[in-house]
mmCIF file of all heavy atoms in Angstrom:
data_model
loop_
_atom_site.group_PDB
_atom_site.id
_atom_site.type_symbol
_atom_site.label_atom_id
_atom_site.label_comp_id
_atom_site.label_asym_id
_atom_site.label_seq_id
_atom_site.Cartn_x
_atom_site.Cartn_y
_atom_site.Cartn_z
ATOM 1 N N ARG A 86 -14.420 14.424 -19.836
ATOM 2 C CA ARG A 86 -14.653 14.645 -18.484
ATOM 3 C C ARG A 86 -16.071 15.307 -18.333
ATOM 4 O O ARG A 86 -16.805 15.028 -17.552
ATOM 5 C CB ARG A 86 -13.597 15.584 -17.865
ATOM 6 C CG ARG A 86 -12.391 14.938 -17.677
ATOM 7 C CD ARG A 86 -11.283 15.748 -17.054
ATOM 8 N NE ARG A 86 -11.606 16.138 -15.611
ATOM 9 C CZ ARG A 86 -11.449 15.457 -14.553
ATOM 10 N NH1 ARG A 86 -10.788 14.190 -14.620
ATOM 11 N NH2 ARG A 86 -11.799 15.901 -13.296
ATOM 12 N N TYR A 117 -15.556 3.757 -17.532
ATOM 13 C CA TYR A 117 -14.627 4.791 -17.605
ATOM 14 C C TYR A 117 -13.143 4.255 -17.145
ATOM 15 O O TYR A 117 -13.023 3.632 -16.053
ATOM 16 C CB TYR A 117 -14.928 6.000 -16.674
ATOM 17 C CG TYR A 117 -13.956 7.071 -16.504
ATOM 18 C CD1 TYR A 117 -13.264 7.674 -17.589
ATOM 19 C CD2 TYR A 117 -13.638 7.618 -15.243
ATOM 20 C CE1 TYR A 117 -12.220 8.598 -17.360
ATOM 21 C CE2 TYR A 117 -12.743 8.630 -15.091
ATOM 22 C CZ TYR A 117 -12.067 9.108 -16.080
ATOM 23 O OH TYR A 117 -11.114 10.119 -15.930
ATOM 24 N N ARG A 121 -4.158 7.002 -15.693
ATOM 25 C CA ARG A 121 -3.607 6.905 -14.391
ATOM 26 C C ARG A 121 -2.355 6.089 -14.697
ATOM 27 O O ARG A 121 -2.303 5.096 -15.438
ATOM 28 C CB ARG A 121 -4.312 6.081 -13.442
ATOM 29 C CG ARG A 121 -5.469 6.884 -12.690
ATOM 30 C CD ARG A 121 -4.796 7.698 -11.696
ATOM 31 N NE ARG A 121 -5.878 8.009 -10.757
ATOM 32 C CZ ARG A 121 -6.218 7.214 -9.638
ATOM 33 N NH1 ARG A 121 -5.694 6.028 -9.685
ATOM 34 N NH2 ARG A 121 -7.158 7.568 -8.899
ATOM 35 N N ALA A 127 -3.198 3.893 -0.333
ATOM 36 C CA ALA A 127 -2.277 3.817 0.713
ATOM 37 C C ALA A 127 -2.372 2.488 1.452
ATOM 38 O O ALA A 127 -1.486 2.089 2.196
ATOM 39 C CB ALA A 127 -2.511 4.899 1.713
ATOM 40 N N VAL A 128 -3.564 1.773 1.235
ATOM 41 C CA VAL A 128 -3.742 0.541 2.002
ATOM 42 C C VAL A 128 -3.616 -0.484 0.917
ATOM 43 O O VAL A 128 -4.102 -0.332 -0.211
ATOM 44 C CB VAL A 128 -5.204 0.489 2.600
ATOM 45 C CG1 VAL A 128 -5.414 -0.860 3.225
ATOM 46 C CG2 VAL A 128 -5.292 1.665 3.616
ATOM 47 N N PRO A 129 -2.971 -1.625 1.138
ATOM 48 C CA PRO A 129 -2.904 -2.684 0.137
ATOM 49 C C PRO A 129 -4.348 -3.124 -0.356
ATOM 50 O O PRO A 129 -5.227 -3.328 0.431
ATOM 51 C CB PRO A 129 -2.151 -3.885 0.838
ATOM 52 C CG PRO A 129 -1.835 -3.394 2.250
ATOM 53 C CD PRO A 129 -2.425 -2.152 2.489
ATOM 54 N N THR A 131 -6.167 -5.900 -3.495
ATOM 55 C CA THR A 131 -5.884 -6.864 -4.561
ATOM 56 C C THR A 131 -6.455 -6.426 -5.807
ATOM 57 O O THR A 131 -7.449 -5.606 -5.861
ATOM 58 C CB THR A 131 -6.496 -8.321 -4.189
ATOM 59 O OG1 THR A 131 -7.877 -8.216 -3.998
ATOM 60 C CG2 THR A 131 -5.790 -8.768 -2.816
ATOM 61 N N GLU A 134 -10.310 -6.897 -5.569
ATOM 62 C CA GLU A 134 -10.814 -5.789 -4.838
ATOM 63 C C GLU A 134 -11.098 -4.604 -5.630
ATOM 64 O O GLU A 134 -12.129 -3.956 -5.477
ATOM 65 C CB GLU A 134 -10.203 -5.581 -3.518
ATOM 66 C CG GLU A 134 -10.276 -6.705 -2.420
ATOM 67 C CD GLU A 134 -9.388 -6.447 -1.223
ATOM 68 O OE1 GLU A 134 -8.167 -5.948 -1.367
ATOM 69 O OE2 GLU A 134 -9.701 -6.930 -0.185
ATOM 70 N N LEU A 141 -20.019 -1.987 -8.510
ATOM 71 C CA LEU A 141 -20.887 -1.226 -7.578
ATOM 72 C C LEU A 141 -22.031 -0.510 -8.156
ATOM 73 O O LEU A 141 -23.125 -0.281 -7.712
ATOM 74 C CB LEU A 141 -20.209 -0.277 -6.578
ATOM 75 C CG LEU A 141 -19.267 -1.053 -5.664
ATOM 76 C CD1 LEU A 141 -18.372 -0.120 -4.836
ATOM 77 C CD2 LEU A 141 -20.084 -1.894 -4.759
ATOM 78 N N ARG A 144 -25.058 -2.340 -8.389
ATOM 79 C CA ARG A 144 -25.682 -2.834 -7.080
ATOM 80 C C ARG A 144 -26.340 -1.758 -6.205
ATOM 81 O O ARG A 144 -25.884 -0.596 -6.300
ATOM 82 C CB ARG A 144 -24.493 -3.508 -6.227
ATOM 83 C CG ARG A 144 -24.272 -4.913 -6.719
ATOM 84 C CD ARG A 144 -22.946 -5.317 -6.187
ATOM 85 N NE ARG A 144 -22.677 -5.247 -4.766
ATOM 86 C CZ ARG A 144 -21.686 -5.411 -4.145
ATOM 87 N NH1 ARG A 144 -20.513 -5.836 -4.777
ATOM 88 N NH2 ARG A 144 -21.499 -5.298 -2.869
ATOM 89 N N ASP A 169 -4.542 -15.144 -13.510
ATOM 90 C CA ASP A 169 -3.640 -15.814 -12.547
ATOM 91 C C ASP A 169 -3.001 -14.859 -11.566
ATOM 92 O O ASP A 169 -2.415 -15.319 -10.611
ATOM 93 C CB ASP A 169 -2.474 -16.440 -13.347
ATOM 94 C CG ASP A 169 -1.686 -15.467 -14.139
ATOM 95 O OD1 ASP A 169 -2.315 -14.391 -14.606
ATOM 96 O OD2 ASP A 169 -0.531 -15.641 -14.496
ATOM 97 N N SER A 179 3.195 -4.416 -12.726
ATOM 98 C CA SER A 179 3.799 -3.549 -13.411
ATOM 99 C C SER A 179 2.835 -2.350 -13.912
ATOM 100 O O SER A 179 1.602 -2.516 -13.776
ATOM 101 C CB SER A 179 4.327 -4.103 -14.731
ATOM 102 O OG SER A 179 3.319 -4.463 -15.697
ATOM 103 N N GLY A 180 3.391 -1.259 -14.414
ATOM 104 C CA GLY A 180 2.502 -0.194 -14.729
ATOM 105 C C GLY A 180 1.445 -0.753 -15.771
ATOM 106 O O GLY A 180 0.279 -0.318 -15.753
ATOM 107 N N ARG A 190 -11.763 -2.971 -14.202
ATOM 108 C CA ARG A 190 -12.845 -2.334 -13.278
ATOM 109 C C ARG A 190 -13.897 -1.815 -14.093
ATOM 110 O O ARG A 190 -14.994 -1.805 -13.760
ATOM 111 C CB ARG A 190 -12.046 -1.234 -12.476
ATOM 112 C CG ARG A 190 -12.973 -0.519 -11.553
ATOM 113 C CD ARG A 190 -12.081 0.465 -10.694
ATOM 114 N NE ARG A 190 -11.593 1.606 -11.563
ATOM 115 C CZ ARG A 190 -11.042 2.613 -10.994
ATOM 116 N NH1 ARG A 190 -10.785 2.781 -9.772
ATOM 117 N NH2 ARG A 190 -10.592 3.563 -11.898
ATOM 118 N N GLY A 207 2.608 5.513 -22.269
ATOM 119 C CA GLY A 207 3.667 4.863 -21.385
ATOM 120 C C GLY A 207 3.595 3.462 -21.471
ATOM 121 O O GLY A 207 4.217 2.720 -20.641
ATOM 122 N N VAL B 323 -6.893 6.421 6.165
ATOM 123 C CA VAL B 323 -5.551 6.062 5.705
ATOM 124 C C VAL B 323 -5.555 5.859 4.190
ATOM 125 O O VAL B 323 -4.580 6.489 3.496
ATOM 126 C CB VAL B 323 -4.952 4.783 6.378
ATOM 127 C CG1 VAL B 323 -3.634 4.318 5.680
ATOM 128 C CG2 VAL B 323 -4.792 4.907 7.852
ATOM 129 N N GLN B 324 -6.591 5.215 3.731
ATOM 130 C CA GLN B 324 -6.633 5.052 2.265
ATOM 131 C C GLN B 324 -6.696 6.396 1.470
ATOM 132 O O GLN B 324 -6.096 6.612 0.429
ATOM 133 C CB GLN B 324 -7.838 4.151 1.799
ATOM 134 C CG GLN B 324 -8.087 3.899 0.351
ATOM 135 C CD GLN B 324 -7.214 2.732 -0.102
ATOM 136 O OE1 GLN B 324 -6.274 2.485 0.413
ATOM 137 N NE2 GLN B 324 -7.699 2.172 -1.148
ATOM 138 N N LEU B 441 -21.463 -0.875 4.230
ATOM 139 C CA LEU B 441 -20.999 -0.137 3.074
ATOM 140 C C LEU B 441 -19.578 -0.133 2.679
ATOM 141 O O LEU B 441 -19.166 0.591 1.942
ATOM 142 C CB LEU B 441 -21.547 1.366 3.340
ATOM 143 C CG LEU B 441 -23.011 1.592 3.476
ATOM 144 C CD1 LEU B 441 -23.303 3.111 3.716
ATOM 145 C CD2 LEU B 441 -23.731 1.221 2.158
ATOM 146 N N PRO B 443 -17.811 -1.843 0.548
ATOM 147 C CA PRO B 443 -17.450 -1.816 -0.855
ATOM 148 C C PRO B 443 -17.420 -0.245 -1.378
ATOM 149 O O PRO B 443 -16.597 0.129 -2.157
ATOM 150 C CB PRO B 443 -18.433 -2.655 -1.673
ATOM 151 C CG PRO B 443 -18.919 -3.590 -0.569
ATOM 152 C CD PRO B 443 -19.018 -2.861 0.789
ATOM 153 N N ARG B 444 -18.483 0.427 -0.981
ATOM 154 C CA ARG B 444 -18.694 1.672 -1.479
ATOM 155 C C ARG B 444 -17.569 2.699 -0.918
ATOM 156 O O ARG B 444 -17.036 3.591 -1.554
ATOM 157 C CB ARG B 444 -20.059 2.269 -1.230
ATOM 158 C CG ARG B 444 -20.987 2.160 -2.413
ATOM 159 C CD ARG B 444 -22.447 2.201 -2.183
ATOM 160 N NE ARG B 444 -22.932 1.056 -2.850
ATOM 161 C CZ ARG B 444 -23.428 1.169 -4.091
ATOM 162 N NH1 ARG B 444 -23.418 2.347 -4.742
ATOM 163 N NH2 ARG B 444 -23.942 0.094 -4.741
ATOM 164 N N ASP B 451 -10.569 5.698 -5.158
ATOM 165 C CA ASP B 451 -10.593 6.445 -6.447
ATOM 166 C C ASP B 451 -11.797 7.313 -6.615
ATOM 167 O O ASP B 451 -12.816 6.931 -7.155
ATOM 168 C CB ASP B 451 -10.440 5.586 -7.653
ATOM 169 C CG ASP B 451 -10.161 6.331 -8.964
ATOM 170 O OD1 ASP B 451 -10.479 7.554 -8.980
ATOM 171 O OD2 ASP B 451 -9.679 5.769 -10.061
ATOM 172 N N GLU B 453 -12.505 10.040 -8.088
ATOM 173 C CA GLU B 453 -13.054 10.463 -9.289
ATOM 174 C C GLU B 453 -13.888 9.361 -10.148
ATOM 175 O O GLU B 453 -14.880 9.565 -10.839
ATOM 176 C CB GLU B 453 -11.898 10.924 -10.281
ATOM 177 C CG GLU B 453 -12.220 11.516 -11.631
ATOM 178 C CD GLU B 453 -11.054 12.103 -12.264
ATOM 179 O OE1 GLU B 453 -10.697 13.226 -11.886
ATOM 180 O OE2 GLU B 453 -10.516 11.389 -13.166
ATOM 181 N N TYR B 454 -13.213 8.253 -9.992
ATOM 182 C CA TYR B 454 -13.841 7.007 -10.635
ATOM 183 C C TYR B 454 -15.336 6.869 -10.140
ATOM 184 O O TYR B 454 -16.214 6.550 -10.745
ATOM 185 C CB TYR B 454 -13.009 5.803 -10.578
ATOM 186 C CG TYR B 454 -13.691 4.517 -11.210
ATOM 187 C CD1 TYR B 454 -13.855 4.343 -12.573
ATOM 188 C CD2 TYR B 454 -14.461 3.673 -10.326
ATOM 189 C CE1 TYR B 454 -14.458 3.365 -13.073
ATOM 190 C CE2 TYR B 454 -15.159 2.665 -10.918
ATOM 191 C CZ TYR B 454 -15.149 2.449 -12.242
ATOM 192 O OH TYR B 454 -15.818 1.382 -12.736
ATOM 193 N N GLN B 501 -0.680 -3.075 7.728
ATOM 194 C CA GLN B 501 -0.085 -2.889 6.264
ATOM 195 C C GLN B 501 1.203 -3.663 6.105
ATOM 196 O O GLN B 501 1.644 -3.940 5.009
ATOM 197 C CB GLN B 501 0.069 -1.489 5.949
ATOM 198 C CG GLN B 501 -1.269 -0.874 5.429
ATOM 199 C CD GLN B 501 -1.032 0.580 5.113
ATOM 200 O OE1 GLN B 501 -0.189 0.977 4.485
ATOM 201 N NE2 GLN B 501 -2.072 1.413 5.569
ATOM 202 N N SER B 506 -4.111 -7.715 1.204
ATOM 203 C CA SER B 506 -5.454 -7.271 0.544
ATOM 204 C C SER B 506 -6.065 -6.363 1.475
ATOM 205 O O SER B 506 -5.712 -6.277 2.789
ATOM 206 C CB SER B 506 -6.154 -8.473 0.426
ATOM 207 O OG SER B 506 -6.703 -9.071 1.631
ATOM 208 N N PHE B 507 -7.056 -5.598 1.064
ATOM 209 C CA PHE B 507 -7.677 -4.615 1.873
ATOM 210 C C PHE B 507 -8.480 -5.278 3.136
ATOM 211 O O PHE B 507 -8.421 -4.869 4.227
ATOM 212 C CB PHE B 507 -8.780 -3.825 1.028
ATOM 213 C CG PHE B 507 -9.233 -2.574 1.564
ATOM 214 C CD1 PHE B 507 -8.483 -1.414 1.692
ATOM 215 C CD2 PHE B 507 -10.503 -2.572 2.287
ATOM 216 C CE1 PHE B 507 -8.953 -0.273 2.256
ATOM 217 C CE2 PHE B 507 -10.918 -1.375 2.860
ATOM 218 C CZ PHE B 507 -10.319 -0.249 2.892
ATOM 219 N N ARG B 508 -9.135 -6.474 2.652
ATOM 220 C CA ARG B 508 -9.852 -7.209 3.644
ATOM 221 C C ARG B 508 -8.923 -7.643 4.796
ATOM 222 O O ARG B 508 -9.180 -7.417 5.992
ATOM 223 C CB ARG B 508 -10.628 -8.357 2.952
ATOM 224 C CG ARG B 508 -11.371 -9.313 3.817
ATOM 225 C CD ARG B 508 -11.949 -10.431 3.178
ATOM 226 N NE ARG B 508 -12.992 -10.159 2.316
ATOM 227 C CZ ARG B 508 -14.299 -10.276 2.536
ATOM 228 N NH1 ARG B 508 -14.744 -10.652 3.698
ATOM 229 N NH2 ARG B 508 -15.113 -9.971 1.685
ATOM 230 N N ARG B 573 6.497 -12.310 -12.652
ATOM 231 C CA ARG B 573 6.195 -12.713 -14.075
ATOM 232 C C ARG B 573 6.492 -11.439 -15.104
ATOM 233 O O ARG B 573 6.245 -11.597 -16.253
ATOM 234 C CB ARG B 573 4.590 -12.964 -14.213
ATOM 235 C CG ARG B 573 4.268 -14.067 -13.438
ATOM 236 C CD ARG B 573 2.835 -14.166 -13.166
ATOM 237 N NE ARG B 573 2.588 -15.518 -12.509
ATOM 238 C CZ ARG B 573 2.402 -16.659 -12.998
ATOM 239 N NH1 ARG B 573 2.498 -16.714 -14.408
ATOM 240 N NH2 ARG B 573 2.159 -17.698 -12.434
ATOM 241 N N HIS B 574 6.861 -10.504 -14.451
ATOM 242 C CA HIS B 574 6.969 -9.279 -15.158
ATOM 243 C C HIS B 574 8.406 -8.960 -15.551
ATOM 244 O O HIS B 574 9.336 -9.042 -14.623
ATOM 245 C CB HIS B 574 6.354 -8.161 -14.373
ATOM 246 C CG HIS B 574 6.713 -6.781 -14.687
ATOM 247 N ND1 HIS B 574 6.359 -6.246 -15.843
ATOM 248 C CD2 HIS B 574 7.459 -5.917 -13.925
ATOM 249 C CE1 HIS B 574 6.937 -4.958 -15.919
ATOM 250 N NE2 HIS B 574 7.675 -4.818 -14.761
ATOM 251 N N GLU B 579 9.711 0.850 -20.455
ATOM 252 C CA GLU B 579 8.359 1.350 -20.430
ATOM 253 C C GLU B 579 7.487 0.410 -19.565
ATOM 254 O O GLU B 579 6.251 0.508 -19.706
ATOM 255 C CB GLU B 579 7.792 1.533 -21.781
ATOM 256 C CG GLU B 579 8.697 2.438 -22.582
ATOM 257 C CD GLU B 579 8.018 2.854 -23.969
ATOM 258 O OE1 GLU B 579 6.841 2.472 -24.080
ATOM 259 O OE2 GLU B 579 8.766 3.275 -24.844
ATOM 260 N N CYS B 580 8.078 -0.217 -18.545
ATOM 261 C CA CYS B 580 7.216 -1.169 -17.790
ATOM 262 C C CYS B 580 6.445 -0.419 -16.718
ATOM 263 O O CYS B 580 5.516 -0.928 -16.105
ATOM 264 C CB CYS B 580 8.051 -2.315 -17.126
ATOM 265 S SG CYS B 580 9.152 -1.620 -15.769
#
Side-chain angles (χ1 to χ4, degrees):
Chain A
R86 289 179 66 83
Y117 171 47
R121 282 282 205 81
V128 179
T131 63
E134 286 171 330
L141 293 171
R144 277 161 53 186
D169 57 336
S179 72
R190 179 178 67 176
Chain B
V323 173
Q324 177 82 338
L441 291 179
R444 259 158 232 272
D451 190 342
E453 183 174 282
Y454 176 79
Q501 280 178 43
S506 71
F507 195 80
R508 180 187 287 263
R573 293 165 179 277
H574 155 72
E579 300 189 16
C580 68

